[in-house]
Amino acid sequence: MKSKKYYITTPLYYVNDKPHIGHAYTTLAADILARHLRAKDVPVHFQTGTDEHGSNIEKIAREKGVEPKAWCDGISADFRELWKTLNVKYDHFIRTTDPAHEAGVQAVFEKLIKSGDVYLGSYDGLYCRSCEAFYDEGELKEKNCPVHGKPVEHVSEETYFFRLSKYEKPLLEHYEQHPDFLSPRYRAQELLNFVKSGLKDISISRTKVAWGVQVKSNPKHTVYVWFDALLNYATGAGYNPEHVSPDFNTMWPADVHLVGKEIFRFHGVIWPAMLMALGVELPRKVYAHGWWTINGDKMSKSRGNFIKAEDVVQEYGVDALRYFIFREVSFGQDGDFSMDAFKRRYNADLANDLGNLFSRIMNMAAKYLDHQLPEKPEGSVIFGEFKTWTPEIHRSIETLQFGEALEKIWKAVSRLNHLVNERKPWELAKKDPEALKVFLYEMVWCLRLIAGWIDPFMPDTASRMHLQLGVGRPADGTEPQKVPALFPRKQDESKPARAGLDNIVPPSSPSGGLKPKDIKTN
Ligand code: MSP
């Protein structure tokens, strides 16, 4: 039997609007984890995709004068384009309009009708025609729809229910036996309280929504979007209750569902109950991260505080964005995105701390080490110490503490910068060329470690660093290339250049790479 893959998912994004930074957040987190595991030779399956059914999407498509499917094709392609721009390497992109997914949803529905966990009933509620939604008495504003201010109607609609109430106890037992299932812990309590307060059966079909998966045995019903969309995690991996693909057993159970906090309930309560009803093993973890605001405000196009990832990438490069959103805020907590904070970190952490350090060391290495990659500095205290940091950095990534990992990496960067100031290589160059060489050996090897550490976060930067550091290049004597600065400083917030180091390298000297003597990494 093939070994089980580490299965990572993102939510399926609604195609009612174009993607923004909030969407990029979950997907980039999944990409970082996936890249890290792949580098450790762990087989990974990373799935993302788009959520395409429902009345909202149907309505938008009609407003735009196109067929729902054509609308979905366009926005779904925008998401794929964004993932390409952001250097996201997923293994499978699922759309809820994929025929295999739709067939899976239909088969699940029929199976649950047979087992009795899905049953036909009627939903009595207060309905707003404009919203196409039901409201509770308490949600109304002066007895009118809270959105449109229009009167609501008492409607009794035939609907299928999912017997969620039956899973109240099994869910609580599962949470207790698997304390990491709902993560992070500080978000779990809210869900526990919700389940403990008593679960009601939920309506999972609509007769008024045409754009959805039809119930096979009763085609006037379409499946409620969330019931349809949640199933993607299983159908995308090859699940259909009528014929489970052999692939499914190499992926399931999912190792982690990454979701935003607002959809934790769907993933932490309804989804596991659906799987229990199907007799399918539960995922290992559902992890809910926080929300980004923009300049302290909810992201919204109409208010003009809407940041497109593409715009940031165009000006600062993809890795700067990948760095910022995981360094600025601990993954899990809410955070605020401001271009000022972004620029500050870009200039301080990237252009200055890492970029400058790297280009200066590379310039000196090119000049004083004659482009040769030095032997491993076995006696180096700093290199020896940094090597012991690797497991800790890996643990942080594996527990989704991305900010913690980056903080540690930048601690190393800052230590190297201090060391440069302390050892003053520009003086060593005149006084003690042998000591300078040893110092540069240490620096180069430490930078190799750092390039390895940042690889899942900033894959482009890491490969450019590796190229200059002589990692992975054939030892064929080809001249090292001149490589542009990793993070060109942005004019406005620039700090004065550090004294000393620049003086020993003529400005015309290429930011040259090293020829590998040994292409093994740490
Ligand atoms: N379609 C549902 C998910 C179905 S999964 C079976 C959905 N889609 S969504 O497009 O509205 O949002 C998907 C995810 O985008 C959220 O869970 C969240 O991860 C992310 N975000 C959207 N806006 C965000 C912010 N402003 N900040 C952080 N993440 C946010 O919900």
Side-chain angles (χ1 to χ4, degrees), residues 12-14 20 22 26 51 233 260 262-263 289 291-292 299:
L12 298 194
Y13 301 100
Y14 283 132
H20 58 65
T26 328
D51 187 353
Y233 302 122
E262 83 289 5
I263 55 174
H289 64 69
W291 263 54
W292 282 100
M299 271 194 228

Side-chain angles (χ1 to χ4, degrees), residues 10-14 16 20-23 25-26 51 79 226 229-233 258-263 267 289-293 299:
T10 74
L12 298 194
Y13 301 100
Y14 283 132
N16 48 6
H20 58 65
I21 271 179
H23 303 120
Y25 192 43
T26 328
D51 187 353
F79 272 97
W226 269 100
L230 284 166
L231 282 167
N232 91 84
Y233 302 122
L258 293 172
V259 300
K261 64 176 184 180
E262 83 289 5
I263 55 174
H267 287 81
H289 64 69
W291 263 54
W292 282 100
T293 49
M299 271 194 228

Side-chain angles (χ1 to χ4, degrees), residues 97-384:
T97 49
D98 287 341
H101 170 77
E102 292 189 346
V105 172
Q106 287 186 320
V108 162
F109 215 93
E110 295 307 315
K111 181 179 161 114
L112 296 182
I113 290 176
K114 274 201 196 87
S115 71
D117 271 331
V118 167
Y119 62 92
L120 195 59
S122 80
Y123 188 90
D124 294 303
L126 302 163
Y127 187 75
C128 167
R129 284 199 182 275
S130 304
C131 296
E132 295 183 76
F134 284 95
Y135 287 102
D136 285 338
E137 200 93 48
E139 293 173 303
L140 300 180
K141 270 203 187 131
E142 289 156 10
K143 299 202 173 155
N144 289 329
C145 158
V147 180
H148 297 91
K150 292 184 196 163
V152 288
E153 299 164 45
H154 266 279
V155 170
S156 176
E157 189 187 331
E158 183 185 276
T159 187
Y160 283 94
F161 284 96
F162 172 56
R163 220 178 276 284
L164 185 62
S165 57
K166 176 174 158 191
Y167 295 98
E168 187 179 311
K169 255 180 94 187
L171 282 170
L172 290 172
E173 271 164 29
H174 189 82
Y175 301 149
E176 199 170 310
Q177 283 156 17
H178 304 84
D180 289 332
F181 177 71
L182 299 176
S183 290
R185 296 259 169 92
Y186 57 83
R187 289 205 193 281
Q189 196 54 42
E190 188 200 323
L191 256 61
L192 283 175
N193 294 345
F194 171 69
V195 177
K196 280 183 191 156
S197 71
L199 293 175
K200 290 194 198 127
D201 294 350
I202 51 168
S203 155
I204 55 160
S205 78
R206 300 283 183 268
T207 50
K208 292 189 167 74
V209 179
W211 179 238
V213 179
Q214 272 186 342
V215 174
K216 222 171 179 174
S217 55
N218 192 352
K220 72 173 191 241
H221 287 260
T222 55
V223 178
Y224 173 50
V225 271
W226 269 100
F227 197 85
D228 159 8
L230 284 166
L231 282 167
N232 91 84
Y233 302 122
T235 60
Y239 177 77
N240 177 318
E242 283 166 8
H243 46 85
V244 178
S245 132
D247 284 349
F248 186 63
N249 299 321
T250 68
M251 294 181 211
W252 203 259
D255 290 272
V256 58
H257 292 314
L258 293 172
V259 300
K261 64 176 184 180
E262 83 289 5
I263 55 174
F264 199 23
R265 221 183 250 192
F266 286 100
H267 287 81
V269 180
I270 298 176
W271 176 229
M274 286 165 66
L275 288 167
M276 284 174 176
L278 289 167
V280 173
E281 207 177 324
L282 264 48
R284 299 204 166 122
K285 183 184 284 193
V286 180
Y287 191 97
H289 64 69
W291 263 54
W292 282 100
T293 49
I294 304 273
N295 301 319
D297 238 338
K298 199 169 180 257
M299 271 194 228
S300 130
K301 256 189 175 171
S302 52
R303 287 191 232 175
N305 51 356
F306 178 90
I307 293 189
K308 272 174 69 189
E310 290 92 334
D311 296 343
V312 180
V313 170
Q314 199 164 19
E315 188 166 355
Y316 294 91
V318 59
D319 283 355
L321 177 67
R322 293 179 63 117
Y323 172 77
F324 177 79
I325 55 177
F326 293 102
R327 179 70 203 269
E328 184 72 0
V329 174
S330 154
F331 192 63
Q333 308 282 355
D334 292 334
D336 187 54
F337 193 102
S338 85
M339 276 322 284
D340 282 346
F342 186 94
K343 282 181 207 162
R344 259 198 310 278
R345 276 213 186 270
Y346 178 89
N347 278 329
D349 301 4
L350 299 178
N352 203 50
D353 292 351
L354 180 64
N356 256 357
L357 172 75
F358 186 70
S359 72
R360 286 167 168 176
I361 297 299
M362 293 318 293
N363 281 339
M364 281 192 287
K367 186 169 176 189
Y368 296 104
L369 303 179
D370 191 27
H371 294 291
Q372 297 298 318
L373 179 70
E375 301 294 344
K376 238 177 195 176
E378 293 304 344
S380 163
V381 174
I382 185 109
F383 181 68

